[in-house]
Amino acid sequence: MSSSEDTGFSAAEAQVVGMFMENVLYGMFPVMNVISFPRSCIVPGIFLISFLLCMKTLVWHDGYFKRAHLLNWPMILATITLLVFATLNASLSVRLNLEGFIYYGGDPSDWFNNMGNPIAIIKRVDYVGQTFMGDCILIYRCWVIHGRKVVVIFFPTLFLIAETVCGVMTVYTQAHLDPAEDIDSQLTPYLMSMLSLTLSTNVLTTSMIVYRLHEIHSAVADAILDRHPGTLVRVKVMMIESGLLYTMTTLIFFGMYVSSSNASSLMQDTIVQIIGITFNLIIVSALVMQLQRREALLVSLWDRAPLHSRQYQSSR
């Protein structure tokens, strides 16, 4: 939300569009049944579907729950934390719209432009927390794929610390706004610094992950081409695509805020959901590639089996 009035897109319009976009991304949005009008059905959104698939990947294997010592606890805790932040943001968006359109007696845009109201402040805390978690997970992945070498994540960690400080200062400033001064001039230095730092962290860390995957692919190219063609290539593409999705969304948010557009509020809500979606889809994609490799192995074993053995198995 911008302090200056955006004549092309009011704060009230931005909230309505933002809540629709967040419901589509998060989940449980109504879809009209054209056959049995006016009844409708509730469809889970992208985040909830990806979360359920991600949790199944992390705790389920070959029809059974994994044993506790085999579980990847850091990824499970990260998945649940991202869900909590995403759910909180979606709930706060509903509450903010109820306050603005139902309970507030004046122009809804005046309520939504009031950056000092408690709901707007909590939503900012939620955005900062979700961004922090997303960058922590990315740095953790970079650390693991580089053989747990601390020196590799030195600069990304510095960016993360600076980003967190700017995020905390953004929340603090928003909670103590001076009505006599321009709101944008108070918030912009910290928020723009935070966005710049999270973009730098994302681009740097994703590039380091892709570079390491390229090194591994080059070192074992012959074995990979013989057994699992294109496996690491698909992993690299997946990491690049997830990084580009977050980077482009943040750049759009950056541009909208700089231009004082009210649409920046809906982009902030969108980013909270996209951080969780990209994290979940990377894990789910890894499972899909694992199943594809298993299927290819079974097909290969079947093709190599003697003809009489295949005929016997087919007749059973």
Side-chain angles (χ1 to χ4, degrees):
M1 286 170 281
S2 175
S3 61
S4 57
E5 183 64 26
D6 184 353
T7 57
F9 200 53
S10 69
E13 293 172 330
Q15 287 300 316
V16 173
V17 175
M19 189 166 67
F20 170 77
M21 291 178 61
E22 190 166 23
N23 284 336
V24 171
L25 290 173
Y26 177 76
M28 299 306 174
F29 60 97
V31 177
M32 189 64 65
N33 188 331
V34 295
I35 299 178
S36 57
F37 180 83
R39 290 182 297 173
S40 61
C41 59
I42 301 297
V43 178
I46 301 172
F47 184 91
L48 287 183
I49 293 175
S50 66
F51 168 78
L52 294 174
L53 292 173
C54 179
M55 288 301 296
K56 180 181 178 182
T57 303
L58 292 171
V59 305
W60 193 263
H61 181 69
D62 286 341
Y64 298 95
F65 283 107
K66 297 179 180 178
R67 296 182 180 273
H69 68 279
L70 297 177
L71 295 175
N72 189 339
W73 287 107
M75 290 296 100
I76 292 176
L77 294 176
T79 304
I80 295 174
T81 303
L82 293 177
L83 172 70
V84 170
F85 279 124
T87 304
L88 177 61
N89 197 80
S91 303
L92 290 172
S93 296
V94 174
R95 182 62 187 179
L96 187 66
N97 279 273
L98 286 175
E99 292 285 348
F101 290 111
I102 305 299
Y103 305 127
Y104 185 66
D107 185 356
S109 292
D110 294 336
W111 168 259
F112 295 129
N113 281 323
N114 178 18
M115 301 292 291
N117 76 74
I119 302 177
I121 295 172
I122 298 174
K123 288 191 69 174
R124 186 76 75 183
V125 172
D126 187 86
Y127 166 72
V128 172
Q130 186 79 318
T131 303
F132 173 79
M133 277 301 304
D135 289 346
C136 281
I137 294 168
L138 193 61
I139 292 174
Y140 173 79
R141 282 174 171 159
C142 183
W143 175 65
V144 170
I145 202 170
H146 278 272
R148 302 179 185 269
K149 297 178 181 178
V150 178
V151 66
V152 174
I153 60 171
F154 178 74
F155 285 108
T157 303
L158 287 182
F159 290 162
L160 177 65
I161 295 172
E163 167 197 324
T164 305
V165 171
C166 291
V168 172
M169 289 304 300
T170 301
V171 174
Y172 178 82
T173 303
Q174 185 169 336
H176 299 82
L177 290 173
D178 185 357
E181 297 183 16
D182 180 63
I183 295 178
D184 285 342
S185 64
Q186 298 177 67
L187 284 177
T188 298
Y190 299 116
L191 184 57
M192 291 298 98
S193 298
M194 177 186 170
L195 291 176
S196 300
L197 287 165
T198 186
L199 281 172
S200 301
T201 303
N202 188 272
V203 172
L204 175 62
T205 311
T206 302
S207 300
M208 293 169 65
I209 292 174
V210 173
Y211 176 75
R212 178 57 180 164
L213 290 173
H214 178 72
E215 281 188 330
I216 297 173
H217 181 265
S218 300
V220 295
D222 294 336
I224 291 177
L225 289 175
D226 289 340
R227 298 181 183 180
H228 311 301
T231 300
L232 284 184
V233 174
R234 291 196 296 270
V235 174
K236 288 190 289 184
V237 171
M238 177 179 61
M239 293 300 303
I240 293 172
E241 288 176 344
S242 62
L244 281 177
L245 176 61
Y246 176 73
T247 300
M248 293 305 299
T249 309
T250 305
L251 283 174
I252 294 172
F253 178 35
F254 190 99
M256 287 182 173
Y257 193 89
V258 169
S259 62
S260 298
S261 171
N262 289 312
S264 60
S265 62
L266 68 90
M267 288 307 304
Q268 175 179 298
D269 295 337
T270 300
I271 289 174
V272 171
Q273 306 301 329
I274 285 180
I275 291 174
I277 290 171
T278 53
F279 169 79
N280 293 337
L281 290 182
I282 288 176
I283 295 180
V284 173
S285 298
L287 173 64
V288 171
M289 285 186 288
Q290 180 182 354
L291 294 176
Q292 289 176 343
R293 290 197 301 268
R294 181 181 301 180
E295 181 181 357
L297 177 61
L298 292 175
V299 172
S300 176
L301 292 175
W302 176 261
D303 291 339
R304 294 177 184 178
L307 181 59
H308 64 85
S309 176
R310 280 185 280 175
Q311 290 174 343
Y312 173 74
Q313 292 290 337
S314 300
S315 64
R316 294 184 61 181

